[in-house]
Structure formats: C-alpha cells, structure tokens
Amino acid sequence: MKIGVIVFPGSNCDRDMYHVLTDVFKLDAEYFWHEKGLPKNIDAVILPGGFSYGDRLRSGAIAAHSPIIKDVKKMAEKGIPILGVCNGFQILVEAGLLPGALLKNTSLNFMCKWTSLIVENNKTPFTNKLKLHQKIPIPIANGEGRYYVDDETLKKLKKKNQIVFRYSEVVNGSSDRIAGVCNEDGNVVGMMPHPERAAESEINPIDNKPSSLIFESLLTTIGVKN
Amino acid sequence: MAIFNVHVIIENKPGISDPEGETILNDLVLKGTHSAISKIKTAKMLKFTIKEKDKKSAQTRVKEICDELRIYNPMVSKITIDVFDS
Amino acid sequence: MAIFNVHVIIENKPGISDPEGETILNDLVLKGTHSAISKIKTAKMLKFTIKEKDKKSAQTRVKEICDELRIYNPMVSKITIDVFDS
Amino acid sequence: MSLEPQELDDLTSKIGRKPTSTELQIVAAEWSEHCSYKSSKKHLKMLPMKGPLVISEKGYDSGVLDVGDGYVITAHIESHNHPSAVEPYGGAATGVGGVIRDILSAGTRPIAIFDGLRFGDIEKDLQARWLFKNAVTGIADYGNCLGIPTIGGEVEFDECYSNYALVDVAAIGFGKKKNLIKNHAKKGDLVVLLGGSTGRDGIGGSQFASDSLESENRSAVQIPDPFIEKLIIEAILEARNQNLIHAMKDLGGGGLSCAVSETADALSIGIEMDVNKVHTRESDMNPDEIMVSESQERMLIVTNNDKLKKLDKICKKFRITCSVIGHVTSNNMMHVKKGKKTCANLPTDVVANATLLDRPSKKPAYLKNIEKEKKLKPILDYSKMMMKFISSPNIASKIWVYGQYDHEVGIRTVVKPGMDSSVLRLDNGKFLAAKIDGNPKHCYINPREGAIGCFEEACRNVVCTGAKPIGMLDHLQFGNPENPEIFWTFLESLKGLTDFAKYFEIPCVGGKVSLYNETPSGPIKPTPIIGILGLIDKTPLYSQKITTGNCLVIIGDTKNEMGGSEYFEYIHKFVGGKCPVVNFQESKTNMNIVLDLIRKDLLKTVHDCSKGGLAVAVSEICMTHQIGCNVSLEKVPGPKLDVDRILFSESHSRYLLVLEKKNTKKLEELLKKSKASYKMIGEFGGENIRFNKENKHVIDLRVDKAQKTWFNSLRELVVHG
Ligand SMILES: Nc1ncnc2c1ncn2[C@@H]1O[C@H](COP(=O)(O)OP(=O)(O)O)[C@@H](O)[C@H]1O
Ligand SMILES: [Mg+2]
C-alpha cells in the first residue's frame, strides 16, 4: 500500500505531510518529483501545500502544467483517492480536476490562523470515518484561499454532494463558506486548511482527533485498517 | 518576421468582486480629498515580446497561448490584448 | 465635467528584475512550444474612473494621487498613465 | 563607493603599489563598516563566546549549539535597515533571505524566522504606516514562500525612527551535527557560484548601509525572489547530503568581494576567479560591478572536479544556475581576472582585515539631567486611560502582524506566537524556545541598564515556557560611531551585555553591528536587540485554560523605575526618569524558581511583566484567556508606591503565575525556600479586569471590550487609518 506525495518546485508542506503519513500513521509513502511519472502501484496521491513556482501568475497555475499531472489525471479517472491540500488544492483546480477558482482573500493578506470546519460529505475516501457535520479544529495558511464558484456551479456542487467541508465561520469570503470540495465521483478531494498540521496532539492545542480521522479514513479506504 | 510587444490585460469578469480595487478606493483614495474618483479596478498585465510576421498573427498567437496555458482563468477573468510595434 | 477612464500601469523600472515574468516565460511558456516569445514582463494595472473637466486634468490628478498616496514606490517602479473617454 | 584618504594610503603601502580600480572597489566594499566591523571589532571581543554547548568552527556565519543526541541548532541575526527605509517591501524581504542563507551556510535547514520591527509614530505619520505595512508584507511574502515559519519578533514605534525603519531578522536552523559543513579546501578545488544571476542591483549596498541615509536617489534596491531561495535551500541540502560541499559562504553585503576574500582568508587559501564566468543578468557589466553587486539569492561553494557533475545535476533538477567561477590556489591571494586580463590581485588577509579603529567615546550631554522627573498631570480616570493605553500601537496585540506569517509550517510550533515566546519541537524529543527583544526607550535613558534589561526580558520570555537560556544573539544598532557620544552609548550597552552574559553563563553565539542609523532629524535611540535561545529537556509549559477561582501570584519587586516606560512616554509624553535596573542576583533567583515551579507542574500559565507594567501584563492574561480578575494593588511586593507606579512601572525580573488554589500551599513552600520576593495578588473570575486599592476599583474594565480593542486596534490603524 503506497501513497505518493508529489513535490513541485516550491512545495513546502511535502515534508510535513510525509512525516504525518509515515511517522504518525505508519503508512508507506514516497515522494515524487513533478517531472517524473507515477508508478502503477500507487494507492493514493497527495498534493501537499506550499508555493509551487512561487505562486507566480496564480497559485497552482504553473504547476498544473507539470508532466506528473498527466498521471494524476489518469489515476483520478481510475478512482484512486487523490487529496490536494492548500496549494495542492489550487493545483487540482487549475488542472481542471476540481471545479471553481481560488482567489485572493478578501483581507488581501496572507492569513495564518486556527479555525474550524464542518464536515458536509462523509462519503469521500478522506472523510469516511468522520461524522456528518462533525467539527474539525484546524489551521489555515494561505493568501489565495477564497474559493469561488458561480451560482450555477454551486447549485451543481450541492446537488452532487461535492461540498466536503465548510468553514464554521466566515474566514476569507469564500462562496458559501466552502473550504473543500470533491469531484463528481468523490475520489478527488481538495481543501484549503491543513490537516497535517492538526493531526498530532502535540501540535494541535484544541483537539487532534478529527484531523486524524481524515488520515484514518484514507487508511480504511486503501484497506490498511478497518 | 518582426518583433512586437503584446500587452495582455487580465481582469475580473463583471460581477466578480475586486476587493483590492475597493480597498485602494475606500481606505486610501477616498480617505484623502479625492472625491473625483468613483471607482478603481485592479488588473494584471503581461507584456509579451514576440517575433511574428505581422500584428494580426502576433495577436492570434498570444491569444492562443493565453488560452492553451490558462494564463487567465476563464471562470473568473477576461483578457484584453493590444499589439504594438516594438 | 466629464467621466474618464484612467489606466495606470505600474511596472519595475528598467534594469530591475522581474522574477514573476521570468518564471512565467521559462516554466510555462517556453516549456510549451512557444519559442516565438522572447520575453515576458509583468505589470500591475489600476483603472480609475474619474470626473474631471478634461483629459489633461484627469491625467494630472491621477498622477498626483498615485504619488501622494504612494500607490507605487518610485524607487522600484515607474508608472504609465493613459486616459480614455468613458 | 570609495575609501577614506588614509585607508587608501594604508592599502597602497600594504600592497606596495597603486591599487587598480577593481581593487579599490573590492577593498572599499570589504573595508566598509558593514563588512569589516572596523569600529566595533576590538570591543566585541569582550563578549563571552564559549560554553559547553557552543561549537565553534572557522568560517561559520551563524552560531552553532549542541542540543544533544547528535543534533545542533544554528542561529543568526541581521538587519536590513537602510534598504527597508527606502523600499520596505523588498528591503525587509531580502533581509529575511540574507539571514536564512547564513543558517544554510553551516549546512543546517532553517526552521524558524524572527523579526524585530521599528518605525516612527504610526498614529500620526503616514510614511511610518506605509513603511510598517510594506515591511510586514515583505517578510510575510518571503518567509511564507520559503515554508519557514516566522514564529516570533517584536514591533515598536518611536518618533526617533521617523522617516526610517529598523528591520531586524533572526533565524534558527536545525540539523545533525555530522552534517555540519566542515569548511576546508585544497589547491585545485573549484569555486562555484550558485543561484540567482548577478545584476546591477544593490551595487554599493554595504557602503550604503555604512552611510547615513539621505533622501537622495539610491540604486541599492533589491528585488526579492523567495522562489529561487527556496530552490537554493533544497539544492544545497541535497548537495550536503551527498557530501559535495567542502566549504560554503552566502553572498551578502559586499557581494563576491566579501564572500571570496573572507572564504579565502578563513581557510588560509588563495582563490583565482574569472568574472566572465559569473552568470550575469545584463551582458555589459564590468568587473567592478560584478565584484560588488549585492544581487540576492546567491551562494559560494567550494567543491572539487569529481563532485561537480553531481552538483550540476542537483542544480538542474532545481532549475538553478551554477557556474564554476574559479579555483583554489595556495598563494593566499585573491586573484580576479577577466579572461586573461588581471583586474585585481591582492593578499586575502589585506582585503579581509581592515585596519581596526579605536574610536573616542564621551558620555553624552543629554544624560546629565535625564533622570529628573517632571511633575505629571494627575490621571482622573484610570479605566479610561487604560482603554486608550491597550489600544496604543506599542501595547496593542500584534496579531495583525503575526497573523500574516505562516507560523505553523514545518509542524514544529507547539507553542504559537502570541505567547511570551514560541516553542519548537526538535527531532530528539527536546524543545527550543526563542525570542528577540529590544527597548530603545530604556536604552536611551541608560544605555547600559537598558541593554541589560533587553537581555533579561528575552530570557524571561523563554523562561515563561520552561526553557533554560543556552545562548544569546546580539544586534547592536546605533547612530554614527564617529560621534564620540554615540560611540559611548555603544560601549556602555556592550559592557552591560557582557556583564550579564558572564554572570548567567549565557554565551553569545552570534550577532551583528549596525551603525550609522541616522534619520533626517538625528541619530536613532540606542537600539540593541537581544535574541535568546532556550532549551527544554522534557515538556514546555502549555498554557492551560484559566478558570474561576484560579490564583494570581507575582514574583519580583515592583520598584519606582518609571523612566522610559510606556506610561511616561505615551500617556504623559515625558521622556526621562530613572529606567529599570536589573539586580543580577534577584534575576537569577526568580528565573530559577520559575523554571523549578514549571518543572514541578504547579502552574497553568506564566507571563512576564514588561512593557506597560503590571497593569498591562495582568490584562493580557485576562484578555487572552477571556476571563476577569481582581487584583489587590496593596499586596504587590516592593517599596511603597503611588498606584500609577505600581500599575505601570516596568521593573524587571517579575513573573505572573497562574495556578489552581489547591497548588498554592506547595507553591508557597517552594517560593519561601527560594528567597524570591512574591505575593498572591489576585483571583480570576467574573467578566471584569479590576485593580483594587482600599476596596475601590482603580481600574475596572469589561474583559470582552478590552479584548476587542486590544486585538483589533493595530489592524484598524494600519488598514483604515
Ligand atoms: N555584535 C556582535 N556580537 C557578537 N558577534 C558578532 C557581533 N556582530 C558580528 N558578530 C559576528 O561576526 C561574524 C561576522 O558577522 P557578519 O558580518 O554578520 O557575517 P555575514 O555578514 O558574513 O553573515 C559573525 O560570526 C557574527 O556572529
Ligand atoms: Mg551573512
């Protein structure tokens, strides 16, 4: 059971994600540089946060053209679980794997703070151990984190149950307080907040259980544990 | 073949808010004594230097690049392209 | 009095590097098959809507605002101002 | 850029001929105050630099401390004052970049950034507000992009910085001891320049930093490129892991001139290089410009021919340029060529060692009457005054600043910004606390005691988390050292720091001197900044939720030391009085007992008293924990004082402890034994922060209202003016 962590030039949460996957949840993870391909035997793919290509042009816009994205798309079609966190989410959106756009926060500033999420869809590979409407204390850290969709797409997202997380408060002006979404099949999930920064009790002063469940959901999904 | 300067202006589509423009207007300009200003909109500009046979094809080529490489996100932005002799 | 659209382009002065333009060129455009492009420079644009008696005074007024409110830092950037009828 | 006439004579006689133009440029850069420390070096030697944990090796730009189990931390502090004063965004950002490369040079991964920011009066001065806002964005954009958390710092406003800015940045690195770069080189090794291209930016920068700032147009503007810096970090660490680096130095002030001459001098080698091999941004740069350009994001590496291929491969992977610009020779000369032509050929020890000066010093005239107090207008309503006080820029919460910094990335930050000091977890199970502090208002009144106070305050801050101070960084920022009165204040501060460091056996592991900090209206106040690193062997004190009935205990005496206090200066607009003085013995007793109480797990939270005194410190606890408190001012230990002095004196060595009632007996036993001065002064509960005397509420504030004001006022001021 192997999880691929993709590293782009400028990714900076790759090592954090790897640490949580391997040291905390004892998963077998491997880094993949963006110029490489992904091997066939990968069971899940994670696009970590950071500033790929220095956030130039738009966050995620340049990384979305990386060679490895072709393989990510193939895996997405095959139904393999794919998670994009923060910049990873921005890349998935820019690559067209998830709907919407991520715009500058209304504060116009980078924001690093703890907030809380509400689980809106607990059927995805990353949320199946969470309860519907469960709250997750978690930090955000982004400058372009305001999720935007037009009204029509929003309706569709609601109808197809593609809203995975909402913020419990207004944090950055995102449409309908959306913090994370999935594709129609539910196997590709993107979220702005950082579960890898909230899954250990030492680092999470409030409650690390809910964020751990994001990783445990993945464990369950790929059949490591029930 | 000649060299052209092609300016691409990327700005939010109508209906999509522009918090930066609003902030500059409200917290900076209107705080002063500049009530003649009624609106500020921000945009991003990319200036391409391109070798093409004429203005027309320079314009077409840059438009193609912008679409193909998603230099702008059509869901939220629109672009305007102007070509100048270099 | 009439309404004018004033476009202010803010860009790095010549000789000052533009890392964003370089990244867009090298990591996006030239990675494709677009070797016709030899340079990309980024700039920021502010579009002002202003009420003034004529084009000339609209231009002067906007220039004053940009200087006074430090909309740009003349140490690093230069501005170009174009006025259009609205 | 030029040498003083006597320096030119000096150089000519040392090399026995007239220097070439390139030689003049190289030497002028290296002999500038900024690079050579010619005014300060003789005196810096007084600081204790050794200690059981200190690892010293030649050629490190940062201090190295052994934290056990085969791990080390590295630390360094820098400022970027002159560039930030004219281009706050780029100046502050490139300041971060510079200090990060110092950490990288030792072969350690940067894991934390700190920033100390000082500007004029942002309440009145639009220019100061513009500088502040842009400097913060610059630091945020740079550090966030690198993925290195900015976990602490300080912000202060004072009229002495009008039209100017002090931007100090410190950084910490972490790594395995065996991975430290052992700077060495032998004849035939290659000298490689890696990173961004060399351009005309920053030409004359170090000279610029050594002149006082005039409003004249400067070319010393540097454009930050954090993306390339991030790639450099990853490339260098990969090269380190593959053992490809023999020696390494970052390029900072003085550019190639300093990096090449200092590397050669430190390793006792010669270097021959060709400016044609340097990858430049513009094609028509002349050798002089290439040698002194201060373009950012560049590193100098010594490697050998066998390893070059692997190094090249790593650089390709990370899409950064790496050019072989020269090689190591054995003749101790710095030989700069352009193709076949020699542009400069100088003994490295001549270049790297400017003639040190012994500047005259004289006690400043202004100090004669400074301790005299004027009669103050009585305060009619302390509650009202207090609301104004907690919304003032120096007292208000700095969340608007640290909220823009990613302080979580790296997932080490177990105690977050907003507390006395942040705490990082290390890979060996230990924890590191760190904080930087300065206090120019105190230092202006008494440069010696003020500097000691900064040192003690930084120690207090890490002690509040349960950390024992193990190392100190100092950054000494003063005006023009050619003025004997200014030089006296520099020496006094340095002597004070030395005495404290020796008494507490806290070695100085690094530092920086920044002189010529002059604004159009005169020199800045003496502004030494002290950074303290503290180590926690077991667990840090995680602040716990305060509940009704919890007790408030103060350790340390509150004395009549109001000079330079925020209360005198902000409320009464009065600069003067006697500034707080640290009693070394009392300081040590209090530090030790607080650490002991934390270790014994008796406390819920600890906070020190500093700016704004007891009134502000207690309010901060209440506002952070959103709970009221009743404090009896009569009980506060120390000489008998008027209420305003008890409330607002900034006496050092004081700690506020919060604990459960059931632990008070045990606590008192331990405190009695320690001989520390202490008293239980209050109890938590209710919705009001109250300071009482003779059953009257001297101050009575709703905690929710106070909290809102304290949290939001800085942002309101900056954003909405
Ligand atoms: N005030 C000071 N106290 C102690 N050491 C200092 C002080 N100022 C500079 N140093 C030390 O002198 C050395 C050179 O400093 P610096 O010029 O800052 O190096 P660089 O610019 O190459 O990074 C460093 O090891 C630094 O720690
Ligand atoms: Mg350095």
Side-chain angles (χ1 to χ4, degrees):
Chain A
M1 295 296 162
K2 185 162 257 172
I3 302 185
V5 176
I6 301 184
V7 186
F8 300 93
S11 292
N12 64 32
C13 305
D14 45 331
R15 299 165 66 254
D16 299 355
M17 185 60 82
Y18 185 87
H19 157 75
V20 171
L21 292 171
T22 57
D23 298 335
V24 182
F25 293 96
K26 310 296 174 204
L27 281 156
D28 183 10
E30 189 179 334
Y31 293 119
F32 290 95
W33 186 241
H34 72 118
E35 286 171 319
K36 292 227 175 100
L38 282 169
K40 293 241 159 31
N41 64 346
I42 290 288
D43 299 291
V45 177
I46 300 190
L47 288 79
F51 283 72
S52 59
Y53 293 96
D55 261 6
R56 279 158 194 172
L57 190 57
R58 279 188 314 283
S59 320
I62 299 180
H65 294 273
S66 287
I68 205 165
I69 294 295
K70 282 196 196 85
D71 284 3
V72 174
K73 284 182 176 164
K74 276 187 214 145
M75 302 225 159
E77 268 166 40
K78 281 201 286 190
I80 285 170
I82 294 170
L83 176 68
V85 171
C86 200
N87 190 231
F89 181 20
Q90 292 162 335
I91 296 169
L92 291 175
V93 166
E94 288 290 342
L97 281 161
L98 290 172
L102 287 145
L103 308 178
K104 237 188 210 167
N105 295 335
T106 40
S107 71
L108 304 178
N109 289 331
F110 190 94
M111 291 167 72
C112 178
K113 64 177 250 182
W114 283 71
T115 178
S116 79
L117 297 182
I118 298 167
V119 178
E120 300 287 357
N121 172 346
N122 66 346
K123 299 277 187 291
T124 78
F126 302 95
T127 53
N128 54 38
K129 299 277 273 188
L130 287 148
K131 292 202 186 65
L132 202 60
H133 305 312
Q134 182 171 353
K135 280 202 173 185
I136 309 178
I138 199 165
I140 54 161
N142 59 61
E144 296 179 21
R146 176 161 60 106
Y147 186 75
Y148 171 84
V149 274
D150 53 40
D151 294 341
E152 207 173 307
T153 318
L154 181 60
K155 261 190 219 135
K156 212 187 109 206
L157 289 183
K158 285 182 181 161
K159 199 165 137 219
K160 306 238 155 143
N161 200 17
Q162 285 178 258
I163 299 171
V164 182
F165 302 110
R166 276 204 177 86
Y167 297 108
S168 63
E169 53 176 353
V170 173
V171 278
N172 59 6
S174 65
S175 299
D176 211 27
R177 283 192 279 118
I178 291 173
V181 295
C182 62
N183 62 351
E184 284 190 30
D185 292 339
N187 65 313
V188 181
V189 175
M191 64 192 295
M192 283 317 291
H194 287 272
E196 82 280 13
R197 299 182 182 184
E200 295 166 272
S201 63
E202 202 169 55
I203 212 81
N204 182 337
I206 311 163
D207 181 10
N208 67 310
K209 292 274 153 48
S211 276
S212 315
L213 290 175
I214 292 179
F215 294 95
E216 298 201 358
S217 299
L218 178 62
L219 284 169
T220 310
T221 308
I222 63 178
V224 182
K225 207 164 91 180
N226 277 311
Chain B
M1 295 296 249
I3 305 285
F4 298 96
N5 293 327
V6 183
H7 293 189
V8 178
I9 301 173
I10 309 169
E11 64 196 310
N12 285 359
K13 286 206 276 203
I16 301 219
S17 71
D18 173 27
E20 188 171 3
E22 285 163 29
T23 305
I24 299 177
L25 180 67
N26 295 322
D27 288 325
L28 215 49
V29 175
L30 297 184
K31 281 275 161 67
T33 47
H34 306 289
S35 54
I37 310 288
S38 58
K39 190 166 178 177
I40 296 179
K41 244 191 114 179
T42 58
K44 182 167 187 143
M45 189 187 235
L46 298 182
K47 298 172 148 192
F48 288 76
T49 308
I50 187 171
K51 199 187 219 163
E52 267 297 343
K53 58 177 190 301
D54 54 31
K55 274 198 177 181
K56 185 87 201 301
S57 35
Q59 159 126 19
T60 318
R61 188 52 177 281
V62 170
K63 175 78 171 72
E64 271 170 24
I65 292 178
C66 289
D67 289 335
E68 180 196 320
L69 298 178
R70 275 176 61 99
I71 294 284
Y72 69 109
N73 179 351
M75 176 164 203
V76 282
S77 319
K78 58 169 191 164
I79 55 172
T80 322
I81 302 181
D82 295 305
V83 187
F84 305 89
D85 295 311
S86 97
Chain C
M1 296 296 246
I3 304 285
F4 298 97
N5 292 328
V6 183
H7 292 189
V8 179
I9 301 173
I10 308 170
E11 64 196 312
N12 284 0
K13 290 204 265 195
I16 294 195
S17 66
D18 172 29
E20 180 166 21
E22 282 166 33
T23 308
I24 298 173
L25 178 69
N26 294 321
D27 293 301
L28 191 59
V29 175
L30 296 184
K31 283 274 165 72
T33 49
H34 306 289
S35 56
I37 309 288
S38 59
K39 189 167 179 174
I40 295 180
K41 234 190 126 180
T42 59
K44 179 169 187 149
M45 189 187 242
L46 298 180
K47 297 171 148 193
F48 289 75
T49 309
I50 187 172
K51 197 187 221 165
E52 267 297 344
K53 56 177 192 300
D54 54 30
K55 276 198 175 183
K56 184 90 200 298
S57 35
Q59 157 131 17
T60 318
R61 189 54 175 281
V62 169
K63 173 82 167 72
E64 271 169 25
I65 292 178
C66 290
D67 288 338
E68 181 195 320
L69 300 178
R70 286 182 169 270
I71 300 273
Y72 71 108
N73 182 357
M75 293 290 295
V76 205
S77 321
K78 60 165 194 169
I79 58 173
T80 321
I81 303 181
D82 293 305
V83 187
F84 305 89
D85 295 311
S86 99
Chain D
M1 169 112 58
S2 61
L3 289 170
E4 302 276 327
Q6 78 272 19
E7 288 177 327
L8 181 58
D9 291 348
D10 195 16
L11 175 63
T12 311
S13 82
K14 275 181 177 159
I15 63 173
R17 61 178 166 82
K18 216 175 136 240
T20 68
S21 115
T22 309
E23 286 172 343
L24 276 176
Q25 294 292 322
I26 292 172
V27 173
E30 183 61 40
W31 287 10
S32 69
E33 186 66 59
H34 181 78
C35 294
S36 72
Y37 292 87
K38 59 191 170 194
S39 303
S40 60
K41 204 166 197 164
K42 279 193 173 162
H43 306 287
L44 291 175
K45 289 200 187 92
M46 73 173 79
L47 283 164
M49 309 263 189
K50 293 212 163 65
L53 304 184
V54 180
I55 298 175
S56 42
E57 286 229 31
K58 59 188 176 205
Y60 284 161
D61 283 346
S62 51
V64 187
L65 284 164
D66 191 328
V67 291
D69 310 296
Y71 289 99
V72 295
I73 55 164
T74 52
H76 195 51
I77 190 164
E78 287 268 5
S79 63
H80 228 200
N81 301 336
H82 282 69
S84 301
V86 294
E87 202 328 60
Y89 178 87
T94 51
V96 173
V99 76
I100 290 300
R101 290 192 299 280
D102 286 322
I103 296 299
L104 192 59
S105 302
T108 50
R109 179 181 281 280
I111 60 164
I113 300 168
F114 297 81
D115 63 326
L117 304 174
R118 289 187 164 74
F119 307 94
D121 177 0
I122 55 162
E123 285 186 306
K124 296 197 205 97
D125 178 352
L126 281 176
Q127 158 93 350
R129 211 177 287 165
W130 175 79
L131 287 166
F132 175 43
K133 195 172 165 170
N134 284 285
V136 169
T137 315
I139 291 166
D141 283 357
Y142 208 94
N144 295 346
C145 183
L146 295 183
I148 302 167
T150 303
I151 61 164
E154 34 142 30
V155 183
E156 191 172 13
F157 306 97
D158 188 294
E159 264 172 25
C160 80
Y161 309 112
S162 297
N163 292 303
Y164 196 62
L166 293 193
V167 173
D168 298 313
V169 277
I172 295 176
F174 182 65
K176 294 207 175 104
K177 190 171 171 181
K178 69 173 188 354
N179 281 339
L180 284 170
I181 304 293
K182 313 258 175 323
N183 285 308
H184 66 96
K186 58 174 196 284
K187 190 177 167 194
D189 278 358
L190 300 178
V191 178
V192 172
L193 184 63
L194 180 152
S197 56
T198 299
R200 287 209 169 84
D201 44 341
I203 285 182
S206 57
Q207 183 88 6
F208 175 42
S210 310
D211 287 338
S212 26
L213 186 66
E214 297 131 32
S215 55
E216 163 200 340
N217 197 359
R218 300 287 187 173
S219 64
V221 170
Q222 296 151 349
I223 299 296
D225 189 346
F227 175 48
I228 195 166
E229 178 111 340
K230 167 69 177 165
L231 298 172
I232 290 173
I233 294 173
E234 298 307 327
I236 295 272
L237 292 177
E238 199 159 318
R240 174 204 70 182
N241 290 345
Q242 295 184 30
N243 244 322
L244 307 179
I245 302 170
H246 294 181
M248 171 157 58
K249 180 145 185 88
D250 75 296
L251 277 83
L256 272 170
S257 296
C258 291
V260 169
S261 65
E262 287 176 17
T263 301
D265 186 52
L267 303 184
S268 306
I269 54 169
I271 290 180
E272 184 182 313
M273 60 164 285
D274 182 352
V275 292
N276 284 345
K277 301 281 169 57
V278 174
H279 51 285
T280 55
R281 195 171 306 145
E282 291 148 278
S283 54
D284 58 342
M285 286 178 69
N286 65 42
D288 300 14
E289 291 174 318
I290 292 173
M291 289 311 291
V292 299
S293 158
E294 293 183 2
S295 288
Q296 296 291 305
E297 292 101 13
R298 297 181 297 162
M299 297 290 282
L300 191 76
I301 286 179
V302 179
T303 184
N304 68 19
N305 214 355
D306 297 340
K307 297 178 176 175
L308 185 63
K309 249 216 197 101
K310 284 189 184 160
L311 186 63
D312 259 334
K313 205 171 149 205
I314 293 172
C315 288
K316 270 220 184 69
K317 171 179 171 188
F318 289 103
R319 58 179 286 305
I320 51 183
T321 315
C322 129
S323 315
V324 178
I325 60 166
H327 60 268
V328 172
T329 63
S330 53
N331 62 4
N332 295 317
M333 297 294 278
M334 172 177 181
H335 188 178
V336 180
K337 303 201 299 190
K338 182 176 167 61
K340 292 228 166 67
K341 188 178 152 254
T342 289
C343 306
N345 196 0
L346 294 167
T348 57
D349 63 330
V350 170
V351 186
N353 299 290
T355 307
L356 301 185
L357 305 174
D358 221 338
R359 297 211 184 264
S361 76
K362 183 175 140 234
K363 184 169 179 175
Y366 81 85
L367 287 176
K368 220 192 226 147
N369 292 317
I370 195 96
E371 294 196 346
K372 273 217 192 84
E373 279 190 26
K374 78 164 190 191
K375 190 149 170 47
L376 305 175
K377 262 226 211 85
I379 304 287
L380 302 175
D381 182 344
Y382 278 104
S383 297
K384 211 166 128 202
M385 183 223 107
M386 189 66 187
M387 274 311 259
K388 178 177 162 194
F389 204 39
I390 58 177
S391 71
S392 69
N394 282 340
I395 303 282
S397 161
K398 304 301 180 286
I399 192 166
W400 179 79
V401 178
Y402 64 72
Q404 294 185 52
Y405 302 152
D406 188 344
H407 44 75
E408 303 278 350
V409 61
I411 46 175
R412 292 184 182 278
T413 321
V414 299
V415 175
K416 328 271 179 195
M419 309 305 285
D420 288 305
S421 88
S422 296
V423 178
L424 299 171
R425 58 177 176 179
L426 302 177
D427 299 6
N428 59 351
K430 295 183 184 177
F431 296 84
L432 185 75
K435 179 70 174 79
I436 56 172
D437 280 297
N439 193 325
K441 292 185 199 299
H442 290 179
C443 293
Y444 179 71
I445 287 176
N446 188 329
R448 180 193 151 85
E449 299 303 336
I452 293 173
C454 301
F455 200 154
E456 214 242 6
E457 186 187 344
C459 289
R460 283 195 317 263
N461 281 324
V462 302
V463 163
C464 285
T465 67
K468 183 178 155 24
I470 57 165
M472 172 274 258
L473 298 167
D474 66 311
H475 190 352
L476 306 174
Q477 303 173 103
F478 294 82
N480 184 343
E482 294 156 37
N483 175 341
E485 293 198 340
I486 288 176
F487 202 63
W488 185 89
T489 63
F490 166 79
L491 287 177
E492 278 296 295
S493 297
L494 184 58
K495 286 178 194 159
L497 297 175
T498 304
D499 289 350
F500 192 89
K502 285 187 173 157
Y503 185 86
F504 283 85
E505 295 176 22
I506 301 173
C508 168
V509 297
K512 179 88 200 168
V513 178
S514 166
L515 301 172
Y516 298 95
N517 291 292
E518 304 262 335
T519 76
S521 43
I524 61 162
K525 290 179 177 174
T527 314
I529 303 291
I530 304 300
I532 292 291
L533 301 158
L535 197 62
I536 303 166
D537 283 330
K538 295 226 169 67
T539 35
L541 175 62
Y542 297 105
S543 179
Q544 294 156 46
K545 195 172 157 53
I546 299 173
T547 48
T548 301
N550 287 168
C551 303
L552 178 68
V553 169
I554 187 169
I555 293 184
D557 285 336
T558 300
K559 302 168 197 163
N560 188 10
E561 304 173 312
M562 305 299 287
S565 67
E566 208 50 34
Y567 172 71
F568 266 21
E569 302 214 352
Y570 188 77
I571 301 294
H572 293 285
K573 309 288 171 227
F574 172 58
V575 178
K578 222 172 117 352
C579 94
V581 173
V582 175
N583 174 321
F584 285 13
Q585 166 133 36
E586 217 177 291
S587 169
K588 193 173 237 168
T589 305
N590 297 0
M591 244 183 247
N592 287 339
I593 185 66
V594 172
L595 286 176
D596 192 40
L597 295 171
I598 293 174
R599 239 176 270 124
K600 297 210 159 78
D601 208 13
L602 290 170
L603 308 177
K604 282 195 146 178
T605 192
V606 180
H607 185 33
D608 77 313
C609 285
S610 53
K611 222 179 216 353
L614 175 69
V616 167
V618 172
S619 304
E620 282 168 347
I621 298 179
C622 292
M623 294 184 291
T624 308
H625 290 262
Q626 314 217 20
I627 187 167
C629 187
N630 274 292
V631 180
S632 312
L633 292 174
E634 300 92 332
K635 292 192 181 153
V636 175
K640 207 170 152 39
L641 300 175
D642 292 343
V643 282
D644 63 340
R645 295 189 185 232
I646 303 175
L647 286 165
F648 302 115
S649 163
E650 295 178 6
S651 292
H652 292 296
S653 315
R654 293 180 301 162
Y655 299 83
L656 293 170
L657 320 177
V658 181
L659 69 160
E660 283 180 47
K661 219 169 231 155
K662 66 170 206 269
N663 286 334
T664 48
K665 221 169 133 207
K666 185 104 182 274
L667 180 99
E668 295 214 36
E669 263 168 42
L670 291 164
L671 278 170
K672 264 197 199 111
K673 226 185 276 162
S674 78
K675 307 231 159 56
S677 164
Y678 76 94
K679 241 330 161 311
M680 170 116 53
I681 58 167
E683 194 173 310
F684 288 90
E687 279 155 15
N688 293 55
I689 309 170
R690 291 194 180 119
F691 294 89
N692 307 320
K693 192 169 181 200
E694 286 142 15
N695 296 325
K696 275 209 294 273
H697 306 322
V698 180
I699 294 179
D700 187 351
L701 304 178
R702 278 272 300 273
V703 71
D704 53 348
K705 278 194 188 147
Q707 195 258 2
K708 229 189 198 151
T709 304
W710 179 66
F711 246 62
N712 295 327
S713 55
L714 196 60
R715 192 196 62 212
E716 284 299 313
L717 186 57
V718 178
V719 178
H720 304 298

